[in-house]
Amino acid sequence: MPRIKLEQLGLYLPLLPTTTVGSLPKPDYLLTARAQYARGAMEYAKLKELEEQATRFWIEKQDEIGLDVLVDGEMYRGDMVAYFAETMKGFQTGKLVRSYGNRYYRKPVIAGAVEWCNPITLDWWRYAQSLTQKPVKGMLTGPYTVMDWSFNEYYANRREAAVAIAREIRKEVEALVDAGAKIIQIDEPAISTRVDELDLAREVMEMVTDGIAAYFICHICYGDFLPVYRHMLSLSVDNLDLETCRRTHILEDYIASNRFDKDISYGVVDVHSHKIESEQTIEASIRHALTLFDKESIWIGPDCGLKTRNSEESIAKLTNIVKAVSNIRREI
């Protein structure tokens, strides 16, 4: 069962809360600015001003669309792992490696003892939360994925590296919660890719979340869910955010004989497609989810981050999600 109820934290969300996974499209002016900053052709103060402008746009747009739980959109980040490595002691920037498709990132190198020196996302969470009355999720990359997507040249083995990173990322969680964040999302796409290290992934997740009064969501994409299904359910989080849009029927048979005992963030639009799903298509996906899970346990959103789509596509997909959920709420 979930570790904590939102009501215990003073949060009262409607049935089928709507949200998005995290990353949103960066505007062209920000992409240009980030490239200029990387070349040394722009001061950080100007870049931050533009990052704040883009963050403000997406907070206001999510409010306008009517989402229930918002995200800051990650306008200040490049890659989900490299960003955290760049802001913690012990990492060095590595060479470009392929992530997926035509996307590349600079794979970090663990060259020394990992250390959290200053808040990483806190100021951005505070800024985003100041722009809305709705809850904004804290957004972190989990310790197992940071370890798995980095080269380890310091610790004796992968477990030591993951444990060290977990201790430091917990400090960021504590800073967010102390500042008032009540919903924390921890992205762990690497969890479902190495069955032999599931116990390690579970161990380091518990190090990050145990004893902290917040509602934790774990976003997992990539990989094959079925071999790791039971292990995912044992993660010390309240909600599993899964890439279900294209995997509904794969999960269906398994869930029928293996009870899903957490809340679920259920993906109803495909972030890898330019197609804008209709309200009716999304409603059908939600109705199917209602046959698999308790209605009180379901959150609705895209199946992953929308950064691969343009702004118009993202807004259209999110708008149709909110409309479809509104229709379903009236029905039930």
Side-chain angles (χ1 to χ4, degrees), residues 16 46 63 71 77 110 167 195 223 310 321:
L16 305 175
K46 178 60 178 176
D63 254 335
V71 298
R77 300 189 200 182
I110 306 173
R167 291 195 185 104
V195 177
N310 62 39
I321 286 175

Side-chain angles (χ1 to χ4, degrees), residues 252-264:
E252 180 177 351
D253 293 339
Y254 209 73
I255 289 170
S257 57
N258 297 268
R259 183 172 177 268
F260 195 95
D261 59 0
K262 294 185 183 294
D263 293 346
I264 183 168

Side-chain angles (χ1 to χ4, degrees), residues 184-232:
I184 308 289
Q185 180 177 305
I186 300 175
D187 295 331
E188 282 283 20
I191 278 183
S192 61
T193 61
R194 294 186 64 128
V195 177
D196 60 315
E197 290 189 334
L198 290 171
D199 288 341
L200 172 58
R202 184 172 56 234
E203 176 188 358
V204 295
M205 178 66 77
E206 186 171 2
M207 290 177 63
V208 171
T209 65
D210 186 50
I212 294 180
Y215 181 89
F216 285 97
I217 300 170
C218 181
H219 173 61
I220 303 173
C221 55
Y222 304 124
D224 184 0
F225 292 150
L226 299 191
V228 301
Y229 178 84
R230 290 190 184 88
H231 292 267
M232 290 195 303

Side-chain angles (χ1 to χ4, degrees), residues 101 147 183 222 226 249 255 265-266 278 285 316:
M147 177 278 295
I183 303 174
Y222 304 124
L226 299 191
H249 297 292
I255 289 170
S265 291
Y266 194 85
S278 68
S285 294

Side-chain angles (χ1 to χ4, degrees), residues 16 259-260 264 289-298:
L16 305 175
R259 183 172 177 268
F260 195 95
I264 183 168
L290 288 166
T291 69
L292 302 175
F293 310 98
D294 295 335
K295 62 181 182 295
E296 292 83 6
S297 70
I298 303 171

Side-chain angles (χ1 to χ4, degrees), residues 16-287:
L16 305 175
T18 56
T19 189
T20 186
V21 174
S23 62
L24 291 166
K26 291 182 176 66
D28 289 341
Y29 69 78
L30 184 54
L31 293 173
T32 299
R34 290 176 65 83
Q36 290 174 337
Y37 176 72
R39 297 195 307 267
M42 178 179 286
E43 296 293 329
Y44 175 69
K46 178 60 178 176
L47 174 63
K48 184 179 179 182
E49 179 184 325
L50 295 175
E51 290 171 338
E52 289 178 346
Q53 178 181 328
T55 300
R56 185 167 60 252
F57 168 84
W58 277 117
I59 291 292
E60 292 173 352
K61 185 58 65 175
Q62 290 172 87
D63 254 335
E64 178 186 319
I65 291 169
L67 291 170
D68 300 305
V69 177
L70 311 189
V71 298
D72 63 25
E74 302 177 7
M75 297 296 106
Y76 51 92
R77 300 189 200 182
D79 173 76
M80 62 182 295
V81 169
Y83 175 76
F84 284 85
E86 290 164 359
T87 48
M88 286 195 289
K89 186 177 178 181
F91 287 93
Q92 293 178 355
T93 301
K95 295 182 179 180
L96 284 172
V97 298
R98 187 174 184 175
S99 176
Y100 64 91
N102 64 349
R103 293 181 175 269
Y104 292 78
Y105 77 107
R106 293 194 177 277
K107 188 167 183 174
V109 179
I110 306 173
V114 174
E115 182 179 352
W116 179 91
C117 301
N118 297 291
I120 301 169
T121 63
L122 177 60
D123 287 345
W124 284 107
W125 177 84
R126 280 178 168 155
Y127 177 68
Q129 187 63 78
S130 74
L131 300 171
T132 180
Q133 296 299 309
K134 294 181 177 178
V136 176
K137 290 190 283 190
M139 304 291 304
L140 305 174
T141 304
Y144 181 79
T145 296
V146 173
M147 177 278 295
D148 189 55
W149 291 7
S150 301
F151 293 116
N152 174 28
E153 296 183 356
Y154 179 78
Y155 292 99
N157 51 55
R158 288 167 60 85
R159 182 186 178 278
E160 284 190 17
V163 166
I165 294 167
R167 291 195 185 104
E168 302 309 302
I169 288 180
R170 181 183 173 93
K171 296 174 184 177
E172 181 72 10
V173 171
E174 291 170 342
L176 284 164
V177 172
D178 287 346
K182 296 180 179 181
I183 303 174
I184 308 289
Q185 180 177 305
I186 300 175
D187 295 331
E188 282 283 20
I191 278 183
S192 61
T193 61
R194 294 186 64 128
V195 177
D196 60 315
E197 290 189 334
L198 290 171
D199 288 341
L200 172 58
R202 184 172 56 234
E203 176 188 358
V204 295
M205 178 66 77
E206 186 171 2
M207 290 177 63
V208 171
T209 65
D210 186 50
I212 294 180
Y215 181 89
F216 285 97
I217 300 170
C218 181
H219 173 61
I220 303 173
C221 55
Y222 304 124
D224 184 0
F225 292 150
L226 299 191
V228 301
Y229 178 84
R230 290 190 184 88
H231 292 267
M232 290 195 303
L233 292 181
S234 67
L235 290 171
S236 56
V237 298
D238 309 287
N239 184 316
L240 290 177
D241 187 317
L242 303 179
E243 195 177 19
T244 50
C245 181
R246 295 185 291 177
R247 304 180 184 217
T248 301
H249 297 292
I250 296 176
L251 287 171
E252 180 177 351
D253 293 339
Y254 209 73
I255 289 170
S257 57
N258 297 268
R259 183 172 177 268
F260 195 95
D261 59 0
K262 294 185 183 294
D263 293 346
I264 183 168
S265 291
Y266 194 85
V268 294
V269 298
D270 185 356
V271 301
H272 301 293
S273 171
H274 294 287
K275 179 181 178 181
I276 306 302
E277 294 84 352
S278 68
E279 288 179 52
Q280 293 74 24
T281 297
I282 296 171
E283 287 175 24
S285 294
I286 297 171
R287 290 192 186 94

